[in-house]
Amino acid sequence: ATGACSNQTSAFVLPSSNPPYFAYTGSWAGPNGCGMAISTHPNGTLANVTQSWKYVNTSAIHGLAFGPEEKLLYSADLSADKIWTHAIGEDGLVSLVDRYDLPKAGMHPRHLAAHPDGKYLYVLMEHENTLMVYEVDQNTGAPKKELQTFSLLPEDKNSSGYWSAEVMLSHSNRLLWASARANRDTDYVGYISCFELRSDGKIRELLFMEPTTTTGGIANQVSPAPFSDQWMVLSDFPRGYVEMWQVMNLREWDGVAGRPVAKVEIGDGGCCANTIWYD
């Protein structure tokens, strides 16, 4: 970490899949949030911090997401309750487009995802335990107004006992996954929600909401398979396991349901926060 991010720490890294292959990161846990663009060598190893930038004094960036064709970079500013939009140039460097202030303090946007059609941005609010869908300005790419809000908890659950974690699109962009965790080690469990999207990216309906077998701790990170809508991996911390989930009845789109079908326990005291599909 150099420049604006000197002596800062980070919780998230986002690698581009298009030339010139930069990796982007934001500082967590703040204050004085910052971002960095890190260039790479032809063999994929990191080269240097080519650019760094500041957010605001109260910022702490927890999640990043690309807009369509990786021409935009969205930042979820958990501590300052803002959503930032930066444009990504042909050289991989970023420039500020917009700062969207959430309507009230303490909503805590943690992670976000953008639909590839460029019309909608999905933002997970950690403290509110909600998933919010924003309409995106077609000229700037920045979120301009809230369209839909969905709870990530059953109706009988008190939001104060939970903090939501992750939101991710499926392989075909037809499904949207989101997760919530219990915020203390009690007999509470977490919840996994799966939404069906219309072709333009707007949420059509909640397909199912299923409990996890443990609290979810500081994880409950969902990782949909990059080759099929049928599979998703869930990781748990601090209990320590990796669990495979299967989506049933996708062909018929009638009675679509999700369930865990395989589990590997990894009781090393530090597993598991993130999972990556390989090959």
Side-chain angles (χ1 to χ4, degrees):
T2 63
C5 288
S6 181
N7 296 320
Q8 295 274 26
T9 58
S10 175
F12 200 91
V13 62
L14 183 67
S16 64
S17 56
N18 299 320
Y21 302 114
F22 271 69
Y24 301 91
T25 185
S27 66
W28 173 264
N32 299 312
C34 65
M36 292 195 306
I38 306 170
S39 59
T40 58
H41 293 297
N43 68 356
T45 57
L46 297 176
N48 55 55
V49 177
T50 304
Q51 180 190 19
S52 66
W53 59 92
K54 292 184 177 181
Y55 293 93
V56 294
N57 292 340
T58 55
S59 290
I61 306 301
H62 203 289
L64 303 169
F66 287 126
E69 300 179 352
E70 298 185 359
K71 293 182 179 179
L72 292 170
L73 179 68
Y74 296 108
S75 305
D77 193 339
L78 190 148
S79 293
D81 290 298
K82 304 180 191 300
I83 302 167
W84 299 80
T85 305
H86 288 80
I88 301 177
E90 295 295 329
D91 57 0
L93 304 185
V94 310
S95 57
L96 180 63
V97 173
D98 182 75
R99 182 187 75 181
Y100 185 92
D101 297 324
L102 297 182
K104 62 179 179 179
M107 296 181 71
H108 295 338
R110 178 181 173 88
H111 285 158
L112 29 67
H115 193 270
D117 281 3
K119 295 180 180 179
Y120 301 106
L121 181 70
Y122 317 103
V123 184
L124 182 139
M125 303 299 175
E126 180 182 79
H127 184 266
E128 299 277 293
N129 291 292
T130 57
L131 177 67
M132 300 180 71
V133 182
Y134 289 89
E135 183 180 355
V136 170
D137 187 291
Q138 295 302 289
N139 293 319
T140 65
K144 65 178 184 179
K145 67 177 181 179
E146 174 195 338
L147 286 184
Q148 297 172 293
T149 301
F150 297 87
S151 174
L152 299 177
L153 299 173
E155 291 183 0
D156 61 340
K157 300 301 180 183
N158 189 322
S159 186
S160 64
Y162 301 87
W163 51 352
S164 290
E166 182 66 280
V167 57
M168 292 193 75
L169 286 159
S170 71
H171 162 69
S172 72
N173 303 306
R174 184 78 182 272
L175 303 178
L176 185 70
W177 291 89
S179 65
R181 309 159 290 167
N183 62 17
R184 51 186 176 268
D185 191 13
T186 65
D187 57 354
Y188 288 9
V189 296
Y191 293 92
I192 301 295
S193 297
C194 185
F195 300 87
E196 180 190 0
L197 303 182
R198 301 188 323 192
S199 59
D200 64 355
K202 192 174 183 180
I203 291 181
R204 186 188 305 277
E205 63 175 332
L206 172 66
L207 293 171
F208 57 84
M209 181 187 294
E210 294 290 340
T212 56
T213 53
T214 66
T215 65
I218 62 172
N220 262 9
Q221 187 260 5
V222 294
S223 180
F227 54 85
S228 169
D229 286 353
Q230 191 177 13
W231 307 102
M232 182 273 287
V233 166
L234 170 70
S235 58
D236 174 89
F237 178 89
R239 204 69 61 87
Y241 64 78
V242 177
E243 194 169 62
M244 184 72 69
W245 283 56
Q246 183 178 12
V247 183
M248 317 298 292
N249 302 324
L250 273 177
R251 289 186 177 181
E252 298 82 9
W253 285 99
D254 182 25
V256 176
R259 66 181 185 184
V261 293
K263 186 176 183 178
V264 175
E265 302 278 359
I266 310 176
D268 68 348
C271 175
C272 302
N274 293 279
T275 51
I276 295 172
W277 290 81
Y278 178 74
D279 193 9

